[in-house]
Amino acid sequence: MTNPLLQDSDITAAATATTANASLPNFAAIRPEHVAPAIAALLTQADAALEKAVGTDTPANYDAMSAVLDVAGEKLKFAWGAVGHLNAVADTPELRAAYVAALPKITELSTRHASDERLYAKYKAIALADQGSAPSKALSAPRRKALSNAMRDFVLSGAELQGAPKDRFLQLQEAQADLGQKFAEHVLDATDGFAYYATEAELAGVPKDAVQAARQAAAAEGKDGHKLTLHFPSYFPVLQYGSNRDLREKIYTAYATRASESGPAALDNSNVMRELMTLRHEEARLLGYANYAEVSLVSKMADTPQQVMDFLRDLAQRARPYAERDLAELKTFARDALGLPELKSWDMTFASEKLKEARYAFSDQEVKQYFTETKVLDGLFRIIETLFEVSLKPDTAPVWHPSVRFFRIERAGTLIGQFYLDPYARNGKRPGAWMDDVRGRWARPEGALQTPVAHLVCNFTPPLTVDGKLQPALLSHDDVTTLFHEFGHGLHHMLTQVNDIGVSGISGVEWDAVELPSQFMENFCWEWDVVKRLTSHVTTGEALPRELFDRMLAAKNFQSGLQTLRQVEMSLFDMRLHAEPGSEDNIQALIEDVRKEVAVVTPPAFNRFQHSFSHIFAGGYAAGYYSYKWAEVLSADAWAAFEETASEGSGVLNVQTGRRYREAVLEAGGSRTAMESFKAFRGREPKIDALLRHQGMT
């Protein structure tokens, strides 16, 4: 059997589509039965590479070590990355079983290698030699940064532990990986497991396209009615537009209690969270830290949990007057205009949409008719091409679903990077939106340049058949913003010019700065000269009217106070949970305490938001969810540079400013600290002023 996971991931000088694409994952050919033998073979190769690297035949030299370890490590990462990606976007019972069976083996090897004291000693020797080298022989700045990161990570991976503590550390890593996977599986299964077949009358007020999608989903199963699920494109239109309050309550309750004690016991994440937090705090103690939050922050811009919490509480204090005003206005409107004397959680989105329509004379559904996916993508590509001096072209590669597309990015005819775009929601696909890397840029030891490849994944409503004709997918303005956000991550990964694998693209970037390029891109969605090029009415083909955009712009900061406090609430809950050992014994009490401190809206007692908070329990954001608000300070200030040069005649698409941003931030990747990159672009440290101004809180 030819195993597609064992194909050679090495790449020659990818100057053409043929040479570049030959080394991409063959997603169309990968089957669950390929996983076990491929991973077994690659684990054996990785272990052999470790023994060779720590042996006397391999000198304590950066290039020599990379030629042994990084080559084998990349092969394993490449194959396991393909399996993990399919597990997230094309889940089946068979693939999940194969993934779960391999996960402990992957975790064991990565943890063992990362804590190998022989390997640690070899890298310490490289660092010591570099310190005594003549300037002409010293490591380059990116390599020195990669080496510094590696030394830090050895310590965080238990390389300085001995005996029983080290054995226990290895056990903790495997157990945490298993629990994180279980958490994600429970959320996915609980999301996929809910269905309600509504009558047409129950869907009063829900937009026609959402009703039609629900009808087609039910018909595909041979059932009557309209199938509603807990996937965003299905449930959210009901909460936003549905005038049937009982249906809103039903859908809200189902969504707010996913993977909790209110559903199947097998999918309840209560014990998973508690066990996971207990293990994280035990890991912290083994490493000599008071709590897991301290461990998490070692590799971030923020220095201490207290610094983060002070930042969040300061932001909450600034936002609270605006949030209180937002809520008071909403309650008054709901009582006087909607006949809702008591505003419930399942009324919030509906009442907010009605208030926005009344105040600004437009609805999200009206705007959605102008944002056809084809036009949005074309406009987005033109922005990227103009600002960053590249070209984007369709490309070909094996994919995991017919709706997935593949593209390449070039500059002056030379391949820079490639990406997959998977835009639509479907069963078996994890909710949310994300960017992930297939491989990073790397000047390989063999002499070839490996170009970066990324996954860009969203969960938009797929195209619908209307009157017998397939119409393009329609995106809400929020969908458009999400698309730009994920492309920001992708550009950070793909436009890098750093050739060292550990610090190229997003690799090595501090977690609380990694959202800078993504949030930066969102700003384009609020610029008229940009937005008018993103729109084409699905029926008439006309661009979005300026007066409608002006109303959207006036509503930009609608309920920004409430939204800011919600983000602070989630971030403070995350940080306190990881900074306060023992809080895992009553997570519900902790989140209620956080809400008492910073929130102005209290959800019903049955709400179990935390049970599906995948970011912190399964997505790498543990003691790091604050990163969104932290990086928003950076991104708003970075965007202000484009506002400052907009008056020069080119608007915000100023090529000179774009070039400075590209070179200082995107191309630098993780080769230096985020603060150094920011200062290289702005000439100073970031200020919070631009963020507060952009959100109307000044």
Side-chain angles (χ1 to χ4, degrees):
M1 179 179 66
T2 301
N3 194 321
L5 290 171
L6 290 175
Q7 70 184 63
D8 193 352
S9 63
D10 297 356
I11 184 167
T12 54
T16 68
T18 302
T19 55
N21 297 5
S23 62
L24 292 167
N26 190 355
F27 285 113
I30 297 171
R31 300 288 181 269
E33 58 267 25
H34 295 140
V35 177
I39 297 304
L42 292 169
L43 290 174
T44 299
Q45 291 178 25
D47 270 334
L50 171 66
E51 294 306 316
K52 182 177 181 180
V54 300
T56 55
D57 291 340
T58 303
N61 170 276
Y62 193 101
D63 287 314
M65 295 291 283
S66 178
V68 175
L69 279 177
D70 290 341
V71 170
E74 273 290 287
K75 288 183 178 181
L76 177 59
K77 177 180 179 292
F78 182 81
W80 183 240
V83 176
H85 178 70
L86 290 175
N87 186 58
V89 298
D91 180 64
T92 65
E94 296 78 15
L95 179 62
R96 180 183 294 186
Y99 178 86
V100 170
L103 180 60
K105 301 172 185 177
I106 293 286
T107 304
E108 188 277 333
L109 177 132
S110 61
T111 305
R112 180 163 45 80
H113 284 210
S115 63
D116 191 290
E117 55 195 69
R118 301 169 300 166
L119 193 58
Y120 183 31
K122 213 74 176 267
Y123 276 96
K124 282 194 285 190
I126 295 174
L128 188 63
D130 180 58
Q131 292 171 11
S133 295
S136 61
K137 295 184 178 181
L139 293 175
S140 65
R143 287 191 168 188
R144 188 169 287 122
K145 181 66 164 62
L147 182 59
S148 173
N149 290 352
M151 299 292 284
R152 174 200 69 201
D153 294 343
F154 270 115
V155 176
L156 293 178
S157 298
E160 295 185 342
L161 298 177
Q162 300 290 330
K166 187 163 190 170
D167 293 340
R168 179 56 181 162
F169 187 89
L170 298 178
Q171 294 171 1
L172 289 174
Q173 302 313 301
E174 292 184 41
Q176 288 178 65
D178 178 60
L179 288 167
Q181 173 64 14
K182 283 182 179 177
F183 187 97
E185 288 176 1
H186 291 172
V187 174
L188 176 60
D189 291 346
T191 300
D192 284 348
F194 174 87
Y196 178 72
Y197 297 86
T199 65
E200 187 168 358
E202 286 180 294
L203 294 175
V206 177
K208 289 182 180 179
D209 59 347
V211 174
Q212 184 171 7
R215 177 71 201 104
Q216 291 178 4
E221 298 178 351
K223 295 185 178 181
D224 296 329
H226 304 73
K227 183 181 180 181
L228 301 177
T229 73
L230 298 182
H231 289 280
F232 186 87
S234 180
Y235 82 83
F236 194 72
V238 175
L239 294 181
Q240 188 174 21
Y241 296 105
S243 56
N244 187 314
R245 198 183 192 195
D246 290 340
L247 181 61
R248 294 201 307 267
E249 181 180 1
K250 181 185 294 290
I251 296 299
Y252 171 88
T253 302
Y255 188 81
T257 57
R258 286 180 302 160
S260 74
E261 73 276 14
S262 296
L267 303 182
D268 184 3
N269 271 331
S270 299
N271 287 332
V272 176
M273 292 186 293
R274 182 167 54 253
E275 292 175 21
L276 187 54
M277 291 307 307
T278 299
L279 297 182
R280 285 176 179 173
H281 287 308
E282 183 181 352
E283 174 188 329
R285 290 193 298 273
L286 282 175
L287 293 174
Y289 293 92
N291 53 68
Y292 189 82
E294 291 184 356
V295 176
S296 174
L297 294 183
V298 171
S299 57
K300 295 181 172 65
M301 289 182 73
D303 295 320
T304 66
Q306 191 60 52
Q307 180 190 11
V308 172
M309 290 188 283
D310 288 345
F311 163 74
L312 293 171
R313 285 170 170 138
D314 175 63
L315 190 56
Q317 185 177 14
R318 294 171 185 261
R320 190 173 191 87
Y322 299 93
E324 290 173 338
R325 182 196 63 191
D326 291 341
L327 183 59
E329 291 175 346
L330 187 61
K331 285 183 174 179
T332 299
F333 177 81
R335 182 193 66 217
D336 297 344
L338 303 178
L340 296 172
E342 185 180 3
L343 197 64
K344 298 288 190 179
S345 290
W346 46 90
D347 300 324
M348 291 287 293
T349 305
F350 174 74
S352 296
E353 177 63 24
K354 293 298 183 184
L355 175 57
K356 187 172 69 173
E357 291 176 14
R359 179 175 295 173
Y360 303 105
F362 79 92
S363 71
D364 286 346
Q365 185 63 21
E366 176 187 4
V367 171
K368 188 176 183 180
Q369 306 307 307
Y370 289 93
F371 286 106
T372 58
E373 181 196 17
T374 306
K375 189 68 174 180
V376 170
L377 274 179
D378 181 68
L380 171 58
F381 285 8
R382 299 295 83 76
I383 292 168
I384 294 170
E385 290 179 330
T386 301
L387 204 61
F388 302 127
E389 300 174 294
V390 296
S391 59
L392 281 73
K393 301 177 180 179
D395 206 344
T396 56
V399 295
W400 52 92
H401 190 271
S403 64
V404 177
R405 282 156 280 175
F406 189 64
F407 299 89
R408 63 196 278 115
I409 304 178
E410 298 178 353
R411 179 176 292 121
T414 300
L415 179 68
I416 295 175
Q418 295 162 294
F419 62 92
Y420 300 85
L421 178 62
D422 184 354
Y424 309 129
R426 58 181 178 268
N427 277 351
K429 181 179 179 182
R430 178 160 59 88
W434 66 92
M435 189 285 291
D436 201 0
D437 68 306
V438 180
R439 66 176 184 232
R441 180 181 170 99
W442 184 25
R444 298 182 62 95
E446 309 94 319
L449 177 64
Q450 174 176 290
T451 51
V453 183
H455 293 300
L456 301 174
V457 184
C458 298
N459 270 282
F460 303 143
T461 304
L464 295 173
T465 300
V466 179
D467 297 328
K469 182 180 179 181
L470 186 68
Q471 69 172 202
L474 300 180
L475 307 185
S476 69
H477 189 255
D478 283 345
D479 290 339
V480 176
T481 303
T482 296
L483 183 66
F484 273 64
H485 179 103
E486 300 308 333
F487 260 89
H489 284 308
L491 292 170
H492 199 188
H493 182 63
M494 292 182 285
L495 297 189
T496 185
Q497 291 297 293
V498 177
N499 291 331
D500 293 286
I501 192 68
V503 288
S504 68
I506 59 172
S507 298
V509 177
E510 296 101 312
W511 199 265
D512 43 5
V514 78
E515 298 294 335
L516 189 170
S518 55
Q519 292 173 336
F520 166 85
M521 287 295 293
E522 294 181 21
N523 291 285
F524 287 108
C525 302
W526 293 103
E527 292 292 328
W528 169 243
D529 286 341
V530 170
V531 170
K532 65 184 180 183
R533 296 185 176 93
L534 301 178
T535 57
S536 175
H537 194 278
V538 65
T539 303
T540 67
E542 296 177 356
L544 183 79
R546 177 60 191 261
E547 56 87 19
L548 178 53
F549 174 77
D550 286 342
R551 283 181 270 144
M552 293 169 56
L553 193 60
K556 177 187 176 186
N557 292 319
F558 178 65
Q559 296 185 343
S560 63
L562 285 173
Q563 293 166 10
T564 298
L565 284 194
R566 175 62 175 150
Q567 286 296 107
V568 170
E569 173 190 322
M570 295 160 70
S571 302
L572 191 57
F573 163 70
D574 166 43
M575 186 54 64
R576 285 191 55 188
L577 182 63
H578 287 92
E580 300 174 11
S583 59
E584 66 270 18
D585 293 331
N586 200 335
I587 293 176
Q588 186 63 34
L590 176 64
I591 197 167
E592 289 172 1
D593 190 53
V594 168
R595 285 170 178 156
K596 287 177 184 177
E597 179 183 358
V598 300
V600 297
V601 176
T602 303
F606 63 74
N607 183 288
R608 292 294 182 269
F609 152 77
Q610 65 273 16
H611 286 67
S612 58
F613 196 2
S614 296
H615 276 77
I616 71 169
F617 292 114
Y621 277 83
Y625 194 78
Y626 76 92
S627 299
Y628 284 100
K629 299 311 293 184
W630 185 279
E632 205 170 347
V633 174
L634 306 177
S635 64
D637 201 341
W639 178 254
F642 287 80
E643 294 176 316
E644 291 160 9
T645 56
S647 59
E648 297 176 7
S650 58
V652 292
L653 296 180
N654 185 289
V655 177
Q656 288 73 32
T657 310
R659 187 181 302 136
R660 286 196 299 109
Y661 171 74
R662 185 190 81 218
E663 292 173 351
V665 178
L666 301 180
E667 291 184 355
S671 66
R672 58 189 178 190
T673 67
M675 184 61 76
E676 288 174 316
S677 291
F678 184 91
K679 289 168 70 174
F681 175 55
R682 286 299 263 153
R684 57 167 174 76
E685 293 191 355
K687 301 176 182 178
I688 197 173
D689 307 52
L691 171 62
L692 297 174
R693 174 170 54 82
H694 287 170
Q695 296 189 343
M697 294 191 297
T698 55

